[in-house]
Every structure is written in structure tokens, then in C-alpha cells.
Amino acid sequence: MSKHDTDLSLLFHALADPTRRSILTRLAREPARVTDLAEPTGLRLPTVMRHLAVLEQAGLISTVKDGRIRTCAIVPDAFDPVRAWLDEQRAIWEARLDRLEAFVMTVMKERDE
Amino acid sequence: MSKHDTDLSLLFHALADPTRRSILTRLAREPARVTDLAEPTGLRLPTVMRHLAVLEQAGLISTVKDGRIRTCAIVPDAFDPVRAWLDEQRAIWEARLDRLEAFVMTVMKERDE
């Protein structure tokens, strides 16, 4: 499995959890401390830390520790590989529609001749 | 957790596996029989069937059985919720950049006065 494939799998896996998605949405607004991120989830701190580790491993967030306070921030371009993969699928699909359309046109032309 | 959240989690989970992504890319080109999908993966048929079940549960593919032959096809608009979620995150992020820019402009204006 290529590194690109591994990265994509990590990204999609990180996004597959509603708590992790809500943390990302929160961080899109502004950086936040781990304790502040934990509060609205109602989850215990170690559980939130595990979610943050998954997000960090996927490259979606970065964290900085200052003394005892850890602050998290979103990584702006981290969604790019996901978007690129979706665009690739759409391009393949659209090429297929183009071929189908060309085929239909040929059949119609032959019928009219 | 809302149905929308559950759907998104199923979608992202389905996309988090390289075998499932390669099956989707193959199906974007044309519908295919389960046996034909299994062949390039080098995986046993029951394993491939499990992957297909995950894709079908997420609404990414549909399958039709004709006698003993099961054919799979991609569901064209199935990626839409994923795209919508990504767009939503980008909008939040861009609004934050706009606020930041407006703040910088205000500070610069005050400095010049």
C-alpha cells in the first residue's frame, strides 16, 4: 500500500467519528485548549485525548504544549487529499458519461442515415 | 447522534479502506460482477463480499442479483454529503480568515490615524 493510500485511509478514518468531526468544526473557528475542547463533548479527558491523537496522526490538527496547557489548531490544507480523491472519482465517472453520450449519439446518427 | 451524522460516519468509514476505495474507482468506470471485482484484489470472495456490504450500507454502491450473478454499480450522488461537509468546514475557516483580515485592517487604520 502506497504512502498516499495510507494517508488517505488515516484521513477518512479520522473523519469517520462524530466527536472528531465536531472537534474539527470547533477548531475551524479558532484554536482551543484541550480542556475547552473536552467540555462540550461530555467525554472524559483521556477519551478526548485519544480522539485528538487520531486527528493529529492524520495531519488534521497540530498541537502545541506550553507548560501544562496544550492548545490545538486545525491544519488548513489537510483536507486537500480527500478533495483530490473525490475529484478523481468524479472525473472517472464523468468520462464514462461522456463515452455513453458519444455512443448514444453514434447510434442515433446511424439510425437516421 | 443525528441520522445525518450517522450517515457521514458510515461514508467516511467506508472510504477509510484502500480495497474499498479501489473497488469504488473500478465501479466509477463501469458496473462489475462481484467475481470480477474480487479478482484484482487477490482477496478471498467472502472478504470482498464484506467490503461490498460496507460500501452498500454506506449507500456508495447498489447491487442487483440475477440468478447466481451479483452485479455492483456505483451510486452517483453518494459522495454529496462528504463534499457538503468539507465545504461547510471551508466556509467556517474562510469566515475566520475574513474576520482576521478585518481586524488587521482596523489595527492598521488606527495606526495610520
Side-chain angles (χ1 to χ4, degrees), chain A residues 6-21 23-24 27 45-63 70 72-73 75 78-79, chain B residues 12 16:
Chain A
T6 312
D7 290 351
L8 265 179
S9 296
L10 285 175
L11 277 169
F12 282 124
H13 170 67
L15 298 174
D17 181 275
T19 300
R20 290 198 288 271
R21 289 197 303 276
I23 289 173
L24 285 173
L27 290 177
L45 207 57
T47 309
V48 174
M49 298 284 277
R50 273 200 296 279
H51 282 308
L52 293 174
V54 174
L55 290 171
E56 194 168 14
Q57 207 199 343
L60 286 162
I61 67 165
S62 61
T63 70
R70 183 175 287 279
C72 305
V75 175
F79 290 134
Chain B
F12 281 125

Side-chain angles (χ1 to χ4, degrees), chain B residues 43-58:
Chain B
L43 298 170
R44 290 175 59 245
L45 207 56
T47 309
V48 174
M49 298 283 278
R50 272 200 296 278
H51 282 308
L52 293 174
V54 174
L55 290 171
E56 193 168 14
Q57 208 198 341

Side-chain angles (χ1 to χ4, degrees), chain A:
Chain A
M1 190 161 61
S2 72
K3 192 188 169 294
H4 175 70
D5 251 353
T6 312
D7 290 351
L8 265 179
S9 296
L10 285 175
L11 277 169
F12 282 124
H13 170 67
L15 298 174
D17 181 275
T19 300
R20 290 198 288 271
R21 289 197 303 276
S22 73
I23 289 173
L24 285 173
T25 303
R26 166 83 189 268
L27 290 177
R29 282 191 205 102
E30 58 188 343
R33 295 183 307 176
V34 172
T35 43
D36 293 335
L37 288 173
E39 206 258 308
T41 66
L43 298 170
R44 289 176 60 246
L45 207 57
T47 309
V48 174
M49 298 284 277
R50 273 200 296 279
H51 282 308
L52 293 174
V54 174
L55 290 171
E56 194 168 14
Q57 207 199 343
L60 286 162
I61 67 165
S62 61
T63 70
V64 179
K65 202 170 181 180
D66 182 11
R68 290 185 60 192
I69 296 169
R70 183 175 287 279
T71 304
C72 305
I74 209 155
V75 175
D77 300 333
F79 290 134
D80 286 358
V82 172
R83 284 188 181 280
W85 187 83
L86 290 173
D87 290 345
E88 210 179 294
Q89 304 309 304
R90 183 151 66 182
I92 296 168
W93 168 257
E94 283 174 352
R96 172 178 158 193
L97 291 187
D98 288 346
R99 283 198 305 278
L100 193 65
E101 199 179 52
F103 173 73
V104 171
M105 294 294 275
T106 310
V107 169
M108 285 175 74
K109 214 175 148 191
E110 280 174 3
R111 201 194 53 180
D112 292 344
E113 277 171 6

